[in-house]
Amino acid sequence: MRVRRSGEHARVGFVELFFDLVFVFAITQVSHLLLAHLTPLGALEAAILLAAVWWVWIDTSWITNWLDPERGPVRLMLFGLMAAGLIMSTSLPEAFGDKGLVFACAFAAIQTGRSLFTLWAVRSSPVQKANFQRISAWALMGAVFWIGGGLAEGQARLAIWLIALALEFTAPAVAFFVPGLGRSNTTDWDVEGAHLAERVGLFVIICLGESIIITGATFAELAWTTPVVTAFASALVATIAMWWLFFSEAHEAASETFAHAADPGAIARRAYTYCPIIVVAGIVVTAVGDELALVHPLGHTAPATAAVLIGGPMLFLLGTSLSILAVWGKVAWPRVAGMAGLVVAACASPYLAPVVLTLLSTSILVLTATWESLARRKS
């Protein structure tokens, strides 16, 4: 069931793309949830759910990096995860309400079921068998907290799910250490970098597509006045600029860096497991800001509106900057400068209408992408 032979690029299969369709819906659900509850508590709840959605997806992408998704048993496993993922996605709007237990059980079933399946699939490899014994132990421990949170209510659920999410994010960082079983070694993870880079790129495309869907659907329902058309154009250009910044030559070069790295698993853990969630959050928050600017382009900019109009691009630049640092160990100065520009824009936000603020944040993204592209051509 191994995906790749030594030196062979693992092509992303159609079944993996089919699996991703569930997450188009999930990302849309999270965006709508944040838009409907644009408060500090609402933002925290949306962040927890977005992180959970990302963790389900990236963990599955690691599995299809190792196992051949064209094999029957692996394909059936992915279909089962799709079914559970769809249940999880439909429960997202009420995850902190009446459907908390549904969400928790679906999430736990995905994480534990996938880990146990992979443990069976790699049973002939002593190294990978031990690796997935540890991973399964962490998944089972996390399931206790997810389901426990689903049974709780109110702030207790929030607190328990924060612990559960902390366990999910901590596990790879501590190499899935389990007393008596030891810890995994990233050099044994044998990751195929080009495949994982392509998978993460596809998830970013999903998020950018969701942003376009929200912007287009909102714009279609509004009167096409000059401020509305301006906000729409700004949102579209911002999405293009984010695509430009993410899918630059650096993204393509990352797979080459993986191919020649002494420990590709360690780089993949940093650059493709942790950093992209910040990028994804930036795209989702930017989409929410674009919708607010479309609906209310003129007048006073509320603090919540300013937070998403500036915070979305800020998170995106931060996430991509950390990814570059994780892969090459260098600082992306144009992106750092872009974040500094957004800080200045945030200071001016109380005096700017939403349409002006969105134009300003979009301009900063475009200038950042242009500066970086010109600098790369000169080097």
Side-chain angles (χ1 to χ4, degrees):
M1 293 187 188
R2 273 288 290 171
V3 155
R4 111 186 134 85
R5 299 169 184 168
S6 180
E8 180 183 31
H9 171 52
R11 180 180 62 87
V12 174
F14 291 118
V15 68
E16 292 174 272
L17 300 176
F18 188 44
F19 171 80
D20 289 351
L21 293 177
V22 171
F23 294 88
V24 177
F25 179 49
I27 293 299
T28 302
Q29 293 280 73
V30 174
S31 293
H32 289 166
L33 178 67
L34 178 58
L35 185 63
H37 302 88
L38 202 54
T39 63
L41 178 60
L44 177 59
E45 293 176 349
I48 291 172
L49 297 179
L50 179 62
V53 168
W54 165 257
W55 212 248
V56 164
W57 185 89
I58 191 60
D59 278 358
T60 305
S61 295
W62 273 90
I63 298 306
T64 55
N65 193 268
W66 287 316
L67 302 181
D68 186 353
E70 299 304 320
R71 298 291 184 92
V74 181
R75 183 173 290 182
L76 288 174
M77 181 268 293
L78 287 175
F79 291 157
L81 295 184
M82 284 182 67
L86 189 58
I87 294 171
M88 183 186 76
S89 299
T90 55
S91 66
L92 285 171
E94 292 295 326
F96 284 93
D98 295 337
K99 295 182 179 178
L101 186 58
V102 175
F103 168 81
C105 288
F107 182 91
I110 293 171
Q111 294 297 88
T112 57
R114 183 188 53 239
S115 299
L116 292 172
F117 172 87
T118 310
L119 176 60
W120 168 79
V122 300
R123 62 193 181 279
S124 61
S125 169
V127 172
Q128 292 297 347
K129 180 181 178 181
N131 185 31
F132 277 94
Q133 284 175 335
R134 302 181 191 102
I135 291 174
S136 297
W138 277 86
L140 289 167
M141 180 170 58
V144 171
F145 284 91
W146 285 109
I147 295 174
L151 292 170
E153 295 182 357
Q155 298 304 308
R157 176 178 298 174
L158 181 68
I160 296 171
W161 279 359
L162 281 172
I163 295 172
L165 195 62
L167 288 173
E168 300 288 343
F169 276 72
T170 299
V174 299
F176 300 101
F177 174 75
V178 175
L181 295 177
R183 67 179 67 244
S184 300
N185 193 326
T186 53
T187 57
D188 295 329
W189 291 355
D190 194 21
V191 67
E192 207 289 299
H195 175 269
L196 202 54
E198 189 174 356
R199 294 296 290 127
V200 171
L202 288 170
F203 196 89
V204 171
I205 288 290
I206 286 174
C207 297
L208 291 174
E210 185 270 342
S211 177
I212 290 174
I213 289 170
I214 287 180
T215 300
T218 303
F219 181 63
E221 296 177 354
L222 298 172
W224 291 6
T225 62
T226 299
V228 169
V229 172
T230 302
F232 171 75
S234 177
L236 180 59
V237 173
T239 303
I240 294 171
M242 287 190 288
W243 179 92
W244 184 2
L245 283 161
F246 190 88
F247 294 98
S248 61
E249 293 176 11
H251 181 73
E252 295 296 328
S255 60
E256 291 295 322
T257 301
F258 273 102
H260 300 94
D263 189 359
I267 298 176
R269 179 177 60 184
R270 296 192 304 267
Y272 288 143
T273 301
Y274 290 112
C275 296
I277 181 58
I278 305 174
V279 177
V280 169
I283 296 172
V284 171
V285 173
T286 299
V288 171
D290 290 340
E291 182 162 1
L292 290 174
L294 275 166
V295 176
H296 304 290
L298 300 176
H300 174 69
T301 300
T305 302
V308 291
L309 285 173
I310 297 298
M314 179 77 76
L315 286 169
F316 180 85
L317 290 177
L318 175 62
T320 54
S321 297
L322 291 175
S323 294
I324 291 171
L325 182 64
V327 176
W328 291 286
K330 66 179 183 180
V331 177
W333 289 113
R335 303 184 189 220
V336 173
M339 286 187 279
L342 288 168
V343 171
V344 174
C347 295
S349 63
Y351 311 102
L352 303 175
V355 68
V356 177
L357 190 58
T358 190
L359 283 171
L360 186 55
S361 63
T362 296
S363 298
I364 290 171
L365 288 175
V366 172
L367 288 172
T368 301
T370 303
W371 177 5
E372 195 168 81
S373 296
L374 291 174
R376 190 177 297 116
R377 289 180 183 179
K378 292 178 181 179
S379 61

